[in-house]
Short mmCIF file of all heavy atoms in Angstrom, two decimals:
data_model
loop_
_atom_site.label_atom_id
_atom_site.label_comp_id
_atom_site.label_asym_id
_atom_site.label_seq_id
_atom_site.Cartn_x
_atom_site.Cartn_y
_atom_site.Cartn_z
N ASP H 1 -21.63 -24.30 56.14
CA ASP H 1 -22.65 -23.27 56.28
C ASP H 1 -22.11 -21.87 56.02
O ASP H 1 -22.88 -20.96 55.70
CB ASP H 1 -23.24 -23.33 57.70
CG ASP H 1 -23.80 -24.70 58.02
OD1 ASP H 1 -24.80 -25.08 57.39
OD2 ASP H 1 -23.22 -25.40 58.87
N TYR H 2 -20.80 -21.71 56.17
CA TYR H 2 -20.18 -20.39 56.00
C TYR H 2 -18.84 -20.62 55.32
O TYR H 2 -17.99 -21.34 55.84
CB TYR H 2 -19.98 -19.73 57.37
CG TYR H 2 -19.94 -18.21 57.40
CD1 TYR H 2 -20.23 -17.54 58.60
CD2 TYR H 2 -19.62 -17.44 56.29
CE1 TYR H 2 -20.21 -16.14 58.67
CE2 TYR H 2 -19.60 -16.06 56.35
CZ TYR H 2 -19.89 -15.41 57.53
OH TYR H 2 -19.86 -14.03 57.60
N VAL H 3 -18.66 -20.04 54.15
CA VAL H 3 -17.42 -20.18 53.40
C VAL H 3 -16.80 -18.80 53.25
O VAL H 3 -17.47 -17.88 52.77
CB VAL H 3 -17.65 -20.81 52.02
CG1 VAL H 3 -16.34 -20.95 51.25
CG2 VAL H 3 -18.34 -22.17 52.15
N GLY H 4 -15.55 -18.66 53.66
CA GLY H 4 -14.92 -17.35 53.58
C GLY H 4 -13.48 -17.44 53.14
O GLY H 4 -12.82 -18.46 53.33
N GLY H 5 -13.00 -16.36 52.51
CA GLY H 5 -11.63 -16.37 52.07
C GLY H 5 -11.08 -14.98 51.86
O GLY H 5 -11.81 -13.99 51.84
N THR H 6 -9.77 -14.93 51.71
CA THR H 6 -9.05 -13.68 51.47
C THR H 6 -8.32 -13.78 50.15
O THR H 6 -7.72 -14.81 49.84
CB THR H 6 -8.02 -13.44 52.59
OG1 THR H 6 -8.69 -13.39 53.85
CG2 THR H 6 -7.26 -12.15 52.38
N SER H 7 -8.39 -12.72 49.36
CA SER H 7 -7.66 -12.67 48.09
C SER H 7 -8.06 -13.86 47.22
O SER H 7 -9.22 -14.04 46.88
CB SER H 7 -6.15 -12.64 48.38
OG SER H 7 -5.41 -12.44 47.22
N THR H 8 -7.11 -14.70 46.86
CA THR H 8 -7.45 -15.85 46.03
C THR H 8 -8.46 -16.76 46.75
O THR H 8 -9.29 -17.40 46.12
CB THR H 8 -6.18 -16.65 45.64
OG1 THR H 8 -6.47 -17.50 44.56
CG2 THR H 8 -5.62 -17.44 46.80
N GLY H 9 -8.39 -16.79 48.09
CA GLY H 9 -9.35 -17.57 48.86
C GLY H 9 -10.74 -17.03 48.73
O GLY H 9 -11.74 -17.78 48.76
N ALA H 10 -10.88 -15.70 48.57
CA ALA H 10 -12.21 -15.09 48.39
C ALA H 10 -12.78 -15.46 47.02
O ALA H 10 -14.00 -15.64 46.90
CB ALA H 10 -12.10 -13.58 48.52
N ILE H 11 -11.94 -15.55 46.02
CA ILE H 11 -12.40 -15.96 44.70
C ILE H 11 -12.97 -17.37 44.75
O ILE H 11 -14.06 -17.66 44.26
CB ILE H 11 -11.26 -15.88 43.68
CG1 ILE H 11 -10.71 -14.46 43.58
CG2 ILE H 11 -11.70 -16.38 42.31
CD1 ILE H 11 -9.43 -14.35 42.79
N ILE H 12 -12.22 -18.26 45.38
CA ILE H 12 -12.65 -19.65 45.50
C ILE H 12 -13.91 -19.74 46.35
O ILE H 12 -14.87 -20.45 46.00
CB ILE H 12 -11.53 -20.51 46.11
CG1 ILE H 12 -10.32 -20.52 45.19
CG2 ILE H 12 -12.01 -21.93 46.38
CD1 ILE H 12 -9.07 -21.14 45.78
N ALA H 13 -13.96 -19.00 47.46
CA ALA H 13 -15.12 -19.02 48.34
C ALA H 13 -16.37 -18.54 47.59
O ALA H 13 -17.46 -19.11 47.76
CB ALA H 13 -14.88 -18.15 49.56
N ALA H 14 -16.23 -17.51 46.77
CA ALA H 14 -17.37 -17.00 46.01
C ALA H 14 -17.91 -18.06 45.06
O ALA H 14 -19.12 -18.24 44.94
CB ALA H 14 -16.96 -15.75 45.23
N GLY H 15 -17.02 -18.76 44.40
CA GLY H 15 -17.47 -19.82 43.50
C GLY H 15 -18.15 -20.95 44.24
O GLY H 15 -19.19 -21.46 43.82
N LEU H 16 -17.57 -21.36 45.37
CA LEU H 16 -18.17 -22.44 46.17
C LEU H 16 -19.56 -22.03 46.68
O LEU H 16 -20.50 -22.82 46.65
CB LEU H 16 -17.27 -22.80 47.35
CG LEU H 16 -15.91 -23.40 47.02
CD1 LEU H 16 -15.11 -23.63 48.30
CD2 LEU H 16 -16.05 -24.71 46.24
N ALA H 17 -19.67 -20.78 47.16
CA ALA H 17 -20.94 -20.31 47.70
C ALA H 17 -22.03 -20.22 46.64
O ALA H 17 -23.22 -20.27 46.95
CB ALA H 17 -20.75 -18.94 48.36
N GLN H 18 -21.62 -20.12 45.38
CA GLN H 18 -22.59 -20.13 44.28
C GLN H 18 -23.00 -21.52 43.87
O GLN H 18 -23.92 -21.69 43.08
CB GLN H 18 -22.01 -19.40 43.06
CG GLN H 18 -22.14 -17.90 43.11
CD GLN H 18 -21.86 -17.29 41.75
OE1 GLN H 18 -20.87 -17.59 41.12
NE2 GLN H 18 -22.77 -16.44 41.30
N GLY H 19 -22.30 -22.52 44.39
CA GLY H 19 -22.65 -23.89 44.05
C GLY H 19 -21.70 -24.56 43.08
O GLY H 19 -21.97 -25.66 42.60
N MET H 20 -20.58 -23.90 42.77
CA MET H 20 -19.61 -24.51 41.87
C MET H 20 -18.85 -25.61 42.61
O MET H 20 -18.66 -25.55 43.82
CB MET H 20 -18.61 -23.45 41.37
CG MET H 20 -19.23 -22.39 40.48
SD MET H 20 -18.03 -21.10 39.99
CE MET H 20 -16.96 -22.04 38.88
N SER H 21 -18.43 -26.62 41.86
CA SER H 21 -17.61 -27.68 42.45
C SER H 21 -16.16 -27.24 42.46
O SER H 21 -15.75 -26.32 41.73
CB SER H 21 -17.74 -28.97 41.64
OG SER H 21 -17.11 -28.83 40.37
N ALA H 22 -15.36 -27.91 43.28
CA ALA H 22 -13.93 -27.59 43.34
C ALA H 22 -13.25 -27.85 41.99
O ALA H 22 -12.37 -27.10 41.57
CB ALA H 22 -13.26 -28.40 44.44
N LYS H 23 -13.70 -28.88 41.29
CA LYS H 23 -13.11 -29.19 39.99
C LYS H 23 -13.46 -28.14 38.95
O LYS H 23 -12.64 -27.80 38.07
CB LYS H 23 -13.56 -30.57 39.53
CG LYS H 23 -12.94 -31.71 40.35
CD LYS H 23 -13.36 -33.07 39.83
CE LYS H 23 -12.68 -34.18 40.64
NZ LYS H 23 -13.11 -35.53 40.19
N GLU H 24 -14.67 -27.58 39.02
CA GLU H 24 -15.04 -26.49 38.10
C GLU H 24 -14.18 -25.27 38.36
O GLU H 24 -13.72 -24.59 37.41
CB GLU H 24 -16.52 -26.14 38.29
CG GLU H 24 -17.48 -27.17 37.73
CD GLU H 24 -18.93 -26.86 38.05
OE1 GLU H 24 -19.19 -26.38 39.18
OE2 GLU H 24 -19.79 -27.10 37.19
N LEU H 25 -13.91 -24.98 39.62
CA LEU H 25 -13.08 -23.82 39.96
C LEU H 25 -11.62 -24.08 39.57
O LEU H 25 -10.91 -23.15 39.18
CB LEU H 25 -13.18 -23.54 41.46
CG LEU H 25 -14.45 -22.78 41.86
CD1 LEU H 25 -14.68 -22.87 43.36
CD2 LEU H 25 -14.36 -21.32 41.44
N LEU H 26 -11.20 -25.33 39.66
CA LEU H 26 -9.84 -25.66 39.24
C LEU H 26 -9.67 -25.39 37.74
O LEU H 26 -8.65 -24.84 37.31
CB LEU H 26 -9.57 -27.14 39.55
CG LEU H 26 -8.14 -27.65 39.43
CD1 LEU H 26 -7.18 -26.85 40.27
CD2 LEU H 26 -8.09 -29.13 39.82
N ALA H 27 -10.68 -25.74 36.95
CA ALA H 27 -10.63 -25.47 35.51
C ALA H 27 -10.62 -23.97 35.25
O ALA H 27 -9.92 -23.48 34.35
CB ALA H 27 -11.82 -26.13 34.82
N PHE H 28 -11.40 -23.22 36.03
CA PHE H 28 -11.43 -21.76 35.90
C PHE H 28 -10.07 -21.16 36.20
O PHE H 28 -9.59 -20.27 35.48
CB PHE H 28 -12.48 -21.19 36.86
CG PHE H 28 -12.41 -19.70 37.05
CD1 PHE H 28 -12.80 -18.83 36.05
CD2 PHE H 28 -11.94 -19.16 38.25
CE1 PHE H 28 -12.71 -17.45 36.23
CE2 PHE H 28 -11.86 -17.80 38.44
CZ PHE H 28 -12.25 -16.94 37.42
N TYR H 29 -9.40 -21.65 37.22
CA TYR H 29 -8.07 -21.12 37.59
C TYR H 29 -7.04 -21.44 36.51
O TYR H 29 -6.17 -20.62 36.20
CB TYR H 29 -7.63 -21.69 38.93
CG TYR H 29 -7.87 -20.74 40.08
CD1 TYR H 29 -9.14 -20.34 40.43
CD2 TYR H 29 -6.79 -20.22 40.80
CE1 TYR H 29 -9.35 -19.46 41.48
CE2 TYR H 29 -7.00 -19.35 41.86
CZ TYR H 29 -8.29 -18.97 42.18
OH TYR H 29 -8.49 -18.09 43.21
N GLN H 30 -7.12 -22.63 35.95
CA GLN H 30 -6.16 -22.97 34.91
C GLN H 30 -6.32 -22.09 33.68
O GLN H 30 -5.35 -21.75 33.01
CB GLN H 30 -6.30 -24.45 34.54
CG GLN H 30 -5.79 -25.40 35.62
CD GLN H 30 -5.87 -26.84 35.20
OE1 GLN H 30 -6.95 -27.41 35.10
NE2 GLN H 30 -4.72 -27.45 34.93
N LYS H 31 -7.56 -21.71 33.41
CA LYS H 31 -7.83 -20.88 32.23
C LYS H 31 -7.57 -19.41 32.49
O LYS H 31 -6.97 -18.70 31.66
CB LYS H 31 -9.30 -21.07 31.80
CG LYS H 31 -9.71 -20.18 30.64
CD LYS H 31 -11.17 -20.37 30.29
CE LYS H 31 -11.59 -19.45 29.15
NZ LYS H 31 -13.05 -19.60 28.82
N THR H 32 -8.01 -18.91 33.66
CA THR H 32 -7.99 -17.47 33.93
C THR H 32 -6.88 -17.05 34.87
O THR H 32 -6.58 -15.87 34.99
CB THR H 32 -9.36 -17.04 34.52
OG1 THR H 32 -10.39 -17.63 33.73
CG2 THR H 32 -9.54 -15.54 34.50
N GLY H 33 -6.25 -18.00 35.55
CA GLY H 33 -5.22 -17.68 36.53
C GLY H 33 -4.13 -16.75 36.03
O GLY H 33 -3.78 -15.77 36.70
N PRO H 34 -3.57 -17.01 34.85
CA PRO H 34 -2.52 -16.11 34.36
C PRO H 34 -3.00 -14.67 34.22
O PRO H 34 -2.24 -13.73 34.51
CB PRO H 34 -2.16 -16.71 33.00
CG PRO H 34 -2.44 -18.18 33.18
CD PRO H 34 -3.69 -18.23 34.03
N ALA H 35 -4.25 -14.47 33.79
CA ALA H 35 -4.77 -13.10 33.64
C ALA H 35 -4.96 -12.42 34.99
O ALA H 35 -4.91 -11.20 35.09
CB ALA H 35 -6.09 -13.13 32.89
N MET H 36 -5.20 -13.22 36.04
CA MET H 36 -5.45 -12.65 37.36
C MET H 36 -4.17 -12.42 38.15
O MET H 36 -4.08 -11.48 38.93
CB MET H 36 -6.38 -13.57 38.16
CG MET H 36 -7.81 -13.64 37.63
SD MET H 36 -8.95 -14.40 38.82
CE MET H 36 -8.37 -16.09 38.88
N PHE H 37 -3.16 -13.29 37.96
CA PHE H 37 -2.04 -13.27 38.88
C PHE H 37 -0.66 -13.11 38.24
O PHE H 37 0.32 -12.96 38.96
CB PHE H 37 -2.03 -14.57 39.71
CG PHE H 37 -3.28 -14.76 40.50
CD1 PHE H 37 -4.15 -15.80 40.19
CD2 PHE H 37 -3.60 -13.93 41.55
CE1 PHE H 37 -5.31 -15.99 40.93
CE2 PHE H 37 -4.75 -14.10 42.29
CZ PHE H 37 -5.61 -15.14 41.98
N ASP H 38 -0.56 -13.12 36.93
CA ASP H 38 0.76 -12.99 36.30
C ASP H 38 1.27 -11.56 36.44
O ASP H 38 0.61 -10.61 36.03
CB ASP H 38 0.67 -13.37 34.82
CG ASP H 38 2.05 -13.57 34.21
OD1 ASP H 38 3.04 -13.59 34.98
OD2 ASP H 38 2.12 -13.71 32.98
N LYS H 39 2.45 -11.42 37.03
CA LYS H 39 3.03 -10.10 37.21
C LYS H 39 3.32 -9.45 35.86
O LYS H 39 3.85 -10.10 34.96
CB LYS H 39 4.32 -10.19 38.02
CG LYS H 39 4.85 -8.84 38.48
CD LYS H 39 6.14 -9.02 39.28
CE LYS H 39 5.90 -9.79 40.55
NZ LYS H 39 7.13 -9.95 41.35
N GLN H 40 2.92 -8.20 35.73
CA GLN H 40 3.07 -7.52 34.45
C GLN H 40 4.24 -6.55 34.47
O GLN H 40 4.64 -6.04 35.52
CB GLN H 40 1.79 -6.73 34.14
CG GLN H 40 0.55 -7.60 34.11
CD GLN H 40 -0.69 -6.76 33.97
OE1 GLN H 40 -0.88 -6.09 32.97
NE2 GLN H 40 -1.53 -6.78 34.97
N PHE H 41 4.79 -6.29 33.29
CA PHE H 41 5.82 -5.29 33.17
C PHE H 41 5.21 -3.90 33.40
O PHE H 41 4.01 -3.71 33.30
CB PHE H 41 6.47 -5.33 31.78
CG PHE H 41 7.24 -6.58 31.53
CD1 PHE H 41 6.75 -7.56 30.68
CD2 PHE H 41 8.46 -6.81 32.17
CE1 PHE H 41 7.46 -8.73 30.46
CE2 PHE H 41 9.18 -7.96 31.95
CZ PHE H 41 8.67 -8.94 31.09
#
């Protein structure tokens, strides 16, 4: 009934609250994860 998260947990929570499946979010992370979390020079 209530999904909440912090940082990366908030991203996942937002997707779940919209009705996305965990597997859909897993595919999103594999595709977009480097752009969100890769440390830059």
